[in-house]
Amino acid sequence: MDTTVMPPDATDKLIPGSARVELTSTEGDPVKPNSRFKITAGENMSKFRQVTGCMRSNALTILSVLGVLSGGILAVILRYARDGRYTQREIAYVMFPGDLFLRMLKALIIPLIVSSLISAIGSLDLKMSGKIGARAVAYYMSTTCCAVVLGIILATSIRPGKGGNVDEISRPTQGARPTTTPDLLMDLVRNLFPPNLIQACIAQYKTVLVPPTDEQFLAAMNATEGPINKTAIPLSEWRMKYEIEPSTNILGLVVFALVLGITLGKMGPKGKPLLDLFSCLSEAFMIITSWVIHLSPIGVLFLVTAQMLEMESFEVIVGQLGMYFLTVMLGLFTHGFIVLTSMYFLITKRMPFQFIGNMAEALATAFATSSSTATVPVALACLEDKNGIDPRVTRFVMPIGATINMDGTALYEAVAALFIAQVRGISLTLGNIIAISITSTAASIGAAGIPQAGLVTMVMVLDTVGLPAEDVTLILAVDWFLDRFRTFTNVLGDSLGAGIVNHLSKKDLSEMPPPQQFVTIPPMANPDDFTLEMEKELNGMAVTTAERSQPAEDVWQSTSIEQMEQR
């Protein structure tokens, strides 16, 4: 089989230093479609150089994973190196490097999410935005429903709360904030439409229920003609007060970015200057994100170490709440690595392992920070740079996914509600279980828009089936640890969803002009001969590996207009 290295034509989309290869059979026969072949054009690349090159390109990923493992090992060593517990000040010293890393990531959240959403939606026409949005929402809803159903199946079959005693489980002194389901839902809708965008960056709205005064208590006691306590007065009769909670209103900012992006897209040439501004901001913050990512191994190490030192006791996880902990972990593992990966394989017809491996930095950051929103900058960089996902898809799908797609949270809340009912010895009917599934799905979608989401949304689920709201404290001893695995699962689901939506939208995106124009020019330098490995699947145009060697003067590369003007 003969090979001819050709300069790329105007329709080729190549990375710098690559070339278009045309194949001709030695017998003159055409090459069969979908045939795999390897081109070997150089012998000067040793196995050692290949291994070192692979290690160098994946060094940050390997170091991030090692940071998580090293943080856990270091925490165990420090805990058992002394008899007493570490003080708050000592833990703060350990936390300091990780806290700096977390602050850098959080500083990028608002400008990156807003600029990315506006530039992504504004560069698409309204019909294309609707298609991508519909595919993303359909994926989010289907995976969330699968997570809830899986959690209910595991909790009813394993029965982690069977034989448990409420009095034997240690509870934190802090109770759940009294609230009602209608108040939570109305707060969620209110936060979708913030009256002040500047305020939405630092605060969001919440309804607070004020306990009855002594006069109201005496009036209620006289009305019932018997002794009662204040908790017997229904929450619906408590006085309502409205407060501003110091917490970023991500949902409100996402809605604003969606509306502004659609508006700029409809304005056409008039809106292009402002759209270019947001596109430039998005690219600038992505570059800053790439700088911050290089600190992730150190930041992750100290975050994990400090959180494990702060834990009350390892015995709680394997003792009083051991079966509950294992049930949630089994559900998260099954959903993340079996359900989600199977969906990715069935839709894209590709194995998901390389895709997930390329997301290792984002997944390690998710585990360390326990925040889907804080992981968005890292996840965007991994999806675009390593997995080759179209930026118009990632910057549209990921900010929305980090806000409403909470598979791990939905599964956790379903298991927790059934666990508390089993500990209480309460038998739930089929109607109760269906109510839990619906409420868990709704609560997980609105979790990012509710202050103190971990406690508040759980109270909403318990209230639906008549379980005591204060029983949420039964699971708080292990909640902080499970929260990291829930966030891991959430980010994994968002990332695989971006890959699925990108696959389904490829044809539609190819018919639109790319967000940045590219031209082909010869290189300005003449480096030494080089070798490259490539294996190409015809028709599908999926390039995975290859091997080629040729003089550098024959190589043509793809570069942007801006880069050409700089040269």
PDB file of all heavy atoms in Angstrom, residues 530-558:
ATOM      1  N   PHE A 530      10.588  14.329  11.964  1.00  0.00           N
ATOM      2  CA  PHE A 530       9.868  13.861  13.144  1.00  0.00           C
ATOM      3  C   PHE A 530       9.070  12.618  12.774  1.00  0.00           C
ATOM      4  O   PHE A 530       8.853  12.310  11.614  1.00  0.00           O
ATOM      5  CB  PHE A 530       8.936  14.958  13.690  1.00  0.00           C
ATOM      6  CG  PHE A 530       7.831  15.328  12.740  1.00  0.00           C
ATOM      7  CD1 PHE A 530       6.603  14.698  12.811  1.00  0.00           C
ATOM      8  CD2 PHE A 530       8.034  16.307  11.773  1.00  0.00           C
ATOM      9  CE1 PHE A 530       5.607  15.040  11.945  1.00  0.00           C
ATOM     10  CE2 PHE A 530       7.027  16.650  10.898  1.00  0.00           C
ATOM     11  CZ  PHE A 530       5.810  16.017  10.989  1.00  0.00           C
ATOM     12  N   THR A 531       8.624  11.920  13.784  1.00  0.00           N
ATOM     13  CA  THR A 531       7.815  10.721  13.584  1.00  0.00           C
ATOM     14  C   THR A 531       6.523  10.869  14.362  1.00  0.00           C
ATOM     15  O   THR A 531       6.463  11.554  15.360  1.00  0.00           O
ATOM     16  CB  THR A 531       8.561   9.464  14.081  1.00  0.00           C
ATOM     17  OG1 THR A 531       8.937   9.681  15.428  1.00  0.00           O
ATOM     18  CG2 THR A 531       9.783   9.196  13.236  1.00  0.00           C
ATOM     19  N   LEU A 532       5.516  10.227  13.881  1.00  0.00           N
ATOM     20  CA  LEU A 532       4.191  10.318  14.500  1.00  0.00           C
ATOM     21  C   LEU A 532       3.487   8.994  14.283  1.00  0.00           C
ATOM     22  O   LEU A 532       3.655   8.378  13.244  1.00  0.00           O
ATOM     23  CB  LEU A 532       3.399  11.461  13.844  1.00  0.00           C
ATOM     24  CG  LEU A 532       1.942  11.628  14.290  1.00  0.00           C
ATOM     25  CD1 LEU A 532       1.904  12.145  15.709  1.00  0.00           C
ATOM     26  CD2 LEU A 532       1.220  12.600  13.368  1.00  0.00           C
ATOM     27  N   GLU A 533       2.715   8.537  15.259  1.00  0.00           N
ATOM     28  CA  GLU A 533       1.959   7.298  15.135  1.00  0.00           C
ATOM     29  C   GLU A 533       0.495   7.604  14.920  1.00  0.00           C
ATOM     30  O   GLU A 533      -0.068   8.424  15.607  1.00  0.00           O
ATOM     31  CB  GLU A 533       2.120   6.442  16.392  1.00  0.00           C
ATOM     32  CG  GLU A 533       3.468   5.758  16.434  1.00  0.00           C
ATOM     33  CD  GLU A 533       3.442   4.557  17.330  1.00  0.00           C
ATOM     34  OE1 GLU A 533       2.378   4.268  17.881  1.00  0.00           O
ATOM     35  OE2 GLU A 533       4.479   3.918  17.452  1.00  0.00           O
ATOM     36  N   MET A 534      -0.099   6.901  13.943  1.00  0.00           N
ATOM     37  CA  MET A 534      -1.508   7.158  13.626  1.00  0.00           C
ATOM     38  C   MET A 534      -2.175   5.876  13.161  1.00  0.00           C
ATOM     39  O   MET A 534      -1.562   5.082  12.481  1.00  0.00           O
ATOM     40  CB  MET A 534      -1.600   8.221  12.517  1.00  0.00           C
ATOM     41  CG  MET A 534      -3.012   8.451  11.999  1.00  0.00           C
ATOM     42  SD  MET A 534      -3.058   9.784  10.776  1.00  0.00           S
ATOM     43  CE  MET A 534      -2.256   8.962   9.425  1.00  0.00           C
ATOM     44  N   GLU A 535      -3.390   5.674  13.584  1.00  0.00           N
ATOM     45  CA  GLU A 535      -4.222   4.603  13.045  1.00  0.00           C
ATOM     46  C   GLU A 535      -5.545   5.238  12.678  1.00  0.00           C
ATOM     47  O   GLU A 535      -6.180   5.861  13.518  1.00  0.00           O
ATOM     48  CB  GLU A 535      -4.427   3.506  14.081  1.00  0.00           C
ATOM     49  CG  GLU A 535      -5.179   2.310  13.534  1.00  0.00           C
ATOM     50  CD  GLU A 535      -5.399   1.284  14.620  1.00  0.00           C
ATOM     51  OE1 GLU A 535      -6.375   1.411  15.338  1.00  0.00           O
ATOM     52  OE2 GLU A 535      -4.579   0.376  14.757  1.00  0.00           O
ATOM     53  N   LYS A 536      -5.960   5.125  11.442  1.00  0.00           N
ATOM     54  CA  LYS A 536      -7.082   5.902  10.945  1.00  0.00           C
ATOM     55  C   LYS A 536      -8.203   4.977  10.476  1.00  0.00           C
ATOM     56  O   LYS A 536      -7.944   3.993   9.811  1.00  0.00           O
ATOM     57  CB  LYS A 536      -6.604   6.788   9.800  1.00  0.00           C
ATOM     58  CG  LYS A 536      -7.652   7.786   9.308  1.00  0.00           C
ATOM     59  CD  LYS A 536      -6.981   8.747   8.348  1.00  0.00           C
ATOM     60  CE  LYS A 536      -7.954   9.809   7.915  1.00  0.00           C
ATOM     61  NZ  LYS A 536      -7.349  10.765   6.998  1.00  0.00           N
ATOM     62  N   GLU A 537      -9.433   5.340  10.880  1.00  0.00           N
ATOM     63  CA  GLU A 537     -10.600   4.593  10.427  1.00  0.00           C
ATOM     64  C   GLU A 537     -11.286   5.396   9.325  1.00  0.00           C
ATOM     65  O   GLU A 537     -11.741   6.521   9.545  1.00  0.00           O
ATOM     66  CB  GLU A 537     -11.573   4.387  11.588  1.00  0.00           C
ATOM     67  CG  GLU A 537     -12.768   3.541  11.204  1.00  0.00           C
ATOM     68  CD  GLU A 537     -13.652   3.284  12.417  1.00  0.00           C
ATOM     69  OE1 GLU A 537     -13.192   3.542  13.523  1.00  0.00           O
ATOM     70  OE2 GLU A 537     -14.782   2.853  12.208  1.00  0.00           O
ATOM     71  N   LEU A 538     -11.308   4.815   8.110  1.00  0.00           N
ATOM     72  CA  LEU A 538     -11.867   5.542   6.980  1.00  0.00           C
ATOM     73  C   LEU A 538     -13.362   5.746   7.161  1.00  0.00           C
ATOM     74  O   LEU A 538     -14.034   5.010   7.865  1.00  0.00           O
ATOM     75  CB  LEU A 538     -11.590   4.764   5.687  1.00  0.00           C
ATOM     76  CG  LEU A 538     -10.113   4.671   5.292  1.00  0.00           C
ATOM     77  CD1 LEU A 538      -9.999   3.882   4.008  1.00  0.00           C
ATOM     78  CD2 LEU A 538      -9.496   6.041   5.137  1.00  0.00           C
ATOM     79  N   ASN A 539     -13.893   6.736   6.441  1.00  0.00           N
ATOM     80  CA  ASN A 539     -15.302   7.127   6.472  1.00  0.00           C
ATOM     81  C   ASN A 539     -15.689   7.742   7.806  1.00  0.00           C
ATOM     82  O   ASN A 539     -16.261   8.804   7.867  1.00  0.00           O
ATOM     83  CB  ASN A 539     -16.242   5.948   6.153  1.00  0.00           C
ATOM     84  CG  ASN A 539     -16.106   5.510   4.711  1.00  0.00           C
ATOM     85  OD1 ASN A 539     -15.537   6.218   3.899  1.00  0.00           O
ATOM     86  ND2 ASN A 539     -16.634   4.336   4.388  1.00  0.00           N
ATOM     87  N   GLY A 540     -15.415   7.036   8.921  1.00  0.00           N
ATOM     88  CA  GLY A 540     -15.711   7.607  10.229  1.00  0.00           C
ATOM     89  C   GLY A 540     -14.774   8.741  10.565  1.00  0.00           C
ATOM     90  O   GLY A 540     -15.052   9.561  11.424  1.00  0.00           O
ATOM     91  N   MET A 541     -13.602   8.814   9.900  1.00  0.00           N
ATOM     92  CA  MET A 541     -12.619   9.867  10.090  1.00  0.00           C
ATOM     93  C   MET A 541     -12.205   9.992  11.546  1.00  0.00           C
ATOM     94  O   MET A 541     -11.958  11.076  12.064  1.00  0.00           O
ATOM     95  CB  MET A 541     -13.179  11.221   9.611  1.00  0.00           C
ATOM     96  CG  MET A 541     -13.486  11.242   8.129  1.00  0.00           C
ATOM     97  SD  MET A 541     -12.067  10.806   7.114  1.00  0.00           S
ATOM     98  CE  MET A 541     -11.002  12.197   7.406  1.00  0.00           C
ATOM     99  N   ALA A 542     -12.152   8.854  12.261  1.00  0.00           N
ATOM    100  CA  ALA A 542     -11.730   8.887  13.665  1.00  0.00           C
ATOM    101  C   ALA A 542     -10.260   8.538  13.734  1.00  0.00           C
ATOM    102  O   ALA A 542      -9.860   7.416  13.493  1.00  0.00           O
ATOM    103  CB  ALA A 542     -12.541   7.892  14.488  1.00  0.00           C
ATOM    104  N   VAL A 543      -9.403   9.499  14.016  1.00  0.00           N
ATOM    105  CA  VAL A 543      -7.972   9.294  14.075  1.00  0.00           C
ATOM    106  C   VAL A 543      -7.595   8.984  15.511  1.00  0.00           C
ATOM    107  O   VAL A 543      -7.910   9.734  16.413  1.00  0.00           O
ATOM    108  CB  VAL A 543      -7.223  10.548  13.593  1.00  0.00           C
ATOM    109  CG1 VAL A 543      -5.731  10.348  13.679  1.00  0.00           C
ATOM    110  CG2 VAL A 543      -7.643  10.879  12.180  1.00  0.00           C
ATOM    111  N   THR A 544      -6.907   7.863  15.722  1.00  0.00           N
ATOM    112  CA  THR A 544      -6.507   7.512  17.080  1.00  0.00           C
ATOM    113  C   THR A 544      -4.995   7.416  17.211  1.00  0.00           C
ATOM    114  O   THR A 544      -4.405   8.033  18.070  1.00  0.00           O
ATOM    115  CB  THR A 544      -7.151   6.177  17.487  1.00  0.00           C
ATOM    116  OG1 THR A 544      -6.846   5.201  16.484  1.00  0.00           O
ATOM    117  CG2 THR A 544      -8.656   6.326  17.620  1.00  0.00           C
ATOM    118  N   THR A 545      -4.303   6.629  16.362  1.00  0.00           N
ATOM    119  CA  THR A 545      -2.844   6.531  16.429  1.00  0.00           C
ATOM    120  C   THR A 545      -2.273   6.467  15.027  1.00  0.00           C
ATOM    121  O   THR A 545      -2.947   6.063  14.098  1.00  0.00           O
ATOM    122  CB  THR A 545      -2.401   5.262  17.195  1.00  0.00           C
ATOM    123  OG1 THR A 545      -2.968   4.143  16.549  1.00  0.00           O
ATOM    124  CG2 THR A 545      -2.825   5.299  18.652  1.00  0.00           C
ATOM    125  N   ALA A 546      -0.979   6.859  14.817  1.00  0.00           N
ATOM    126  CA  ALA A 546      -0.338   6.732  13.507  1.00  0.00           C
ATOM    127  C   ALA A 546       1.157   6.822  13.624  1.00  0.00           C
ATOM    128  O   ALA A 546       1.688   7.180  14.639  1.00  0.00           O
ATOM    129  CB  ALA A 546      -0.783   7.806  12.545  1.00  0.00           C
ATOM    130  N   GLU A 547       1.800   6.516  12.555  1.00  0.00           N
ATOM    131  CA  GLU A 547       3.247   6.624  12.560  1.00  0.00           C
ATOM    132  C   GLU A 547       3.661   7.154  11.202  1.00  0.00           C
ATOM    133  O   GLU A 547       3.302   6.613  10.179  1.00  0.00           O
ATOM    134  CB  GLU A 547       3.864   5.251  12.790  1.00  0.00           C
ATOM    135  CG  GLU A 547       5.285   5.352  13.310  1.00  0.00           C
ATOM    136  CD  GLU A 547       5.768   4.004  13.732  1.00  0.00           C
ATOM    137  OE1 GLU A 547       6.042   3.214  12.833  1.00  0.00           O
ATOM    138  OE2 GLU A 547       5.830   3.729  14.922  1.00  0.00           O
ATOM    139  N   ARG A 548       4.414   8.248  11.198  1.00  0.00           N
ATOM    140  CA  ARG A 548       4.788   8.880   9.948  1.00  0.00           C
ATOM    141  C   ARG A 548       6.107   9.610  10.150  1.00  0.00           C
ATOM    142  O   ARG A 548       6.399  10.096  11.226  1.00  0.00           O
ATOM    143  CB  ARG A 548       3.669   9.834   9.521  1.00  0.00           C
ATOM    144  CG  ARG A 548       4.066  10.946   8.618  1.00  0.00           C
ATOM    145  CD  ARG A 548       2.803  11.598   8.123  1.00  0.00           C
ATOM    146  NE  ARG A 548       2.350  12.620   9.033  1.00  0.00           N
ATOM    147  CZ  ARG A 548       2.807  13.869   8.981  1.00  0.00           C
ATOM    148  NH1 ARG A 548       3.720  14.197   8.105  1.00  0.00           N
ATOM    149  NH2 ARG A 548       2.351  14.784   9.807  1.00  0.00           N
ATOM    150  N   SER A 549       6.908   9.681   9.094  1.00  0.00           N
ATOM    151  CA  SER A 549       8.132  10.472   9.161  1.00  0.00           C
ATOM    152  C   SER A 549       8.358  11.100   7.799  1.00  0.00           C
ATOM    153  O   SER A 549       8.269  10.426   6.783  1.00  0.00           O
ATOM    154  CB  SER A 549       9.330   9.584   9.519  1.00  0.00           C
ATOM    155  OG  SER A 549      10.515  10.341   9.550  1.00  0.00           O
ATOM    156  N   GLN A 550       8.633  12.394   7.791  1.00  0.00           N
ATOM    157  CA  GLN A 550       8.860  13.069   6.540  1.00  0.00           C
ATOM    158  C   GLN A 550       9.599  14.370   6.828  1.00  0.00           C
ATOM    159  O   GLN A 550       9.608  14.851   7.951  1.00  0.00           O
ATOM    160  CB  GLN A 550       7.529  13.375   5.850  1.00  0.00           C
ATOM    161  CG  GLN A 550       6.684  14.397   6.622  1.00  0.00           C
ATOM    162  CD  GLN A 550       5.474  14.806   5.833  1.00  0.00           C
ATOM    163  OE1 GLN A 550       4.651  13.971   5.551  1.00  0.00           O
ATOM    164  NE2 GLN A 550       5.384  16.058   5.481  1.00  0.00           N
ATOM    165  N   PRO A 551      10.243  14.955   5.826  1.00  0.00           N
ATOM    166  CA  PRO A 551      10.909  16.243   6.041  1.00  0.00           C
ATOM    167  C   PRO A 551       9.900  17.296   6.450  1.00  0.00           C
ATOM    168  O   PRO A 551       8.772  17.328   5.968  1.00  0.00           O
ATOM    169  CB  PRO A 551      11.531  16.556   4.665  1.00  0.00           C
ATOM    170  CG  PRO A 551      11.624  15.224   3.996  1.00  0.00           C
ATOM    171  CD  PRO A 551      10.486  14.407   4.494  1.00  0.00           C
ATOM    172  N   ALA A 552      10.342  18.176   7.323  1.00  0.00           N
ATOM    173  CA  ALA A 552       9.430  19.176   7.876  1.00  0.00           C
ATOM    174  C   ALA A 552       8.944  20.144   6.823  1.00  0.00           C
ATOM    175  O   ALA A 552       7.877  20.741   6.964  1.00  0.00           O
ATOM    176  CB  ALA A 552      10.117  19.944   9.000  1.00  0.00           C
ATOM    177  N   GLU A 553       9.724  20.347   5.708  1.00  0.00           N
ATOM    178  CA  GLU A 553       9.269  21.324   4.728  1.00  0.00           C
ATOM    179  C   GLU A 553       8.032  20.846   3.980  1.00  0.00           C
ATOM    180  O   GLU A 553       7.366  21.636   3.326  1.00  0.00           O
ATOM    181  CB  GLU A 553      10.380  21.634   3.722  1.00  0.00           C
ATOM    182  CG  GLU A 553      10.943  20.405   2.997  1.00  0.00           C
ATOM    183  CD  GLU A 553      12.150  19.845   3.754  1.00  0.00           C
ATOM    184  OE1 GLU A 553      12.308  20.195   4.929  1.00  0.00           O
ATOM    185  OE2 GLU A 553      12.910  19.077   3.149  1.00  0.00           O
ATOM    186  N   ASP A 554       7.720  19.531   4.048  1.00  0.00           N
ATOM    187  CA  ASP A 554       6.529  19.023   3.378  1.00  0.00           C
ATOM    188  C   ASP A 554       5.300  19.075   4.274  1.00  0.00           C
ATOM    189  O   ASP A 554       4.228  18.657   3.866  1.00  0.00           O
ATOM    190  CB  ASP A 554       6.746  17.568   2.927  1.00  0.00           C
ATOM    191  CG  ASP A 554       7.804  17.487   1.832  1.00  0.00           C
ATOM    192  OD1 ASP A 554       7.983  18.516   1.150  1.00  0.00           O
ATOM    193  OD2 ASP A 554       8.423  16.422   1.689  1.00  0.00           O
ATOM    194  N   VAL A 555       5.494  19.509   5.501  1.00  0.00           N
ATOM    195  CA  VAL A 555       4.391  19.473   6.464  1.00  0.00           C
ATOM    196  C   VAL A 555       3.616  20.771   6.407  1.00  0.00           C
ATOM    197  O   VAL A 555       4.205  21.840   6.420  1.00  0.00           O
ATOM    198  CB  VAL A 555       4.924  19.252   7.891  1.00  0.00           C
ATOM    199  CG1 VAL A 555       3.759  19.210   8.872  1.00  0.00           C
ATOM    200  CG2 VAL A 555       5.714  17.964   7.952  1.00  0.00           C
ATOM    201  N   TRP A 556       2.315  20.666   6.349  1.00  0.00           N
ATOM    202  CA  TRP A 556       1.442  21.846   6.402  1.00  0.00           C
ATOM    203  C   TRP A 556       0.673  21.764   7.704  1.00  0.00           C
ATOM    204  O   TRP A 556       0.281  20.699   8.126  1.00  0.00           O
ATOM    205  CB  TRP A 556       0.468  21.852   5.214  1.00  0.00           C
ATOM    206  CG  TRP A 556       1.148  22.167   3.926  1.00  0.00           C
ATOM    207  CD1 TRP A 556       2.131  21.452   3.326  1.00  0.00           C
ATOM    208  CD2 TRP A 556       0.899  23.279   3.082  1.00  0.00           C
ATOM    209  NE1 TRP A 556       2.522  22.041   2.173  1.00  0.00           N
ATOM    210  CE2 TRP A 556       1.769  23.169   1.985  1.00  0.00           C
ATOM    211  CE3 TRP A 556       0.019  24.356   3.131  1.00  0.00           C
ATOM    212  CZ2 TRP A 556       1.797  24.091   0.963  1.00  0.00           C
ATOM    213  CZ3 TRP A 556       0.041  25.277   2.120  1.00  0.00           C
ATOM    214  CH2 TRP A 556       0.929  25.142   1.041  1.00  0.00           C
ATOM    215  N   GLN A 557       0.440  22.884   8.328  1.00  0.00           N
ATOM    216  CA  GLN A 557      -0.274  22.877   9.594  1.00  0.00           C
ATOM    217  C   GLN A 557      -1.446  23.847   9.539  1.00  0.00           C
ATOM    218  O   GLN A 557      -1.480  24.740   8.708  1.00  0.00           O
ATOM    219  CB  GLN A 557       0.643  23.258  10.757  1.00  0.00           C
ATOM    220  CG  GLN A 557       1.162  24.687  10.690  1.00  0.00           C
ATOM    221  CD  GLN A 557       2.068  24.988  11.849  1.00  0.00           C
ATOM    222  OE1 GLN A 557       2.378  24.113  12.641  1.00  0.00           O
ATOM    223  NE2 GLN A 557       2.491  26.222  11.973  1.00  0.00           N
ATOM    224  N   SER A 558      -2.421  23.606  10.451  1.00  0.00           N
ATOM    225  CA  SER A 558      -3.598  24.455  10.531  1.00  0.00           C
ATOM    226  C   SER A 558      -3.395  25.484  11.610  1.00  0.00           C
ATOM    227  O   SER A 558      -2.990  25.163  12.706  1.00  0.00           O
ATOM    228  CB  SER A 558      -4.818  23.596  10.871  1.00  0.00           C
ATOM    229  OG  SER A 558      -5.951  24.398  11.023  1.00  0.00           O
TER     230      SER A 558
END
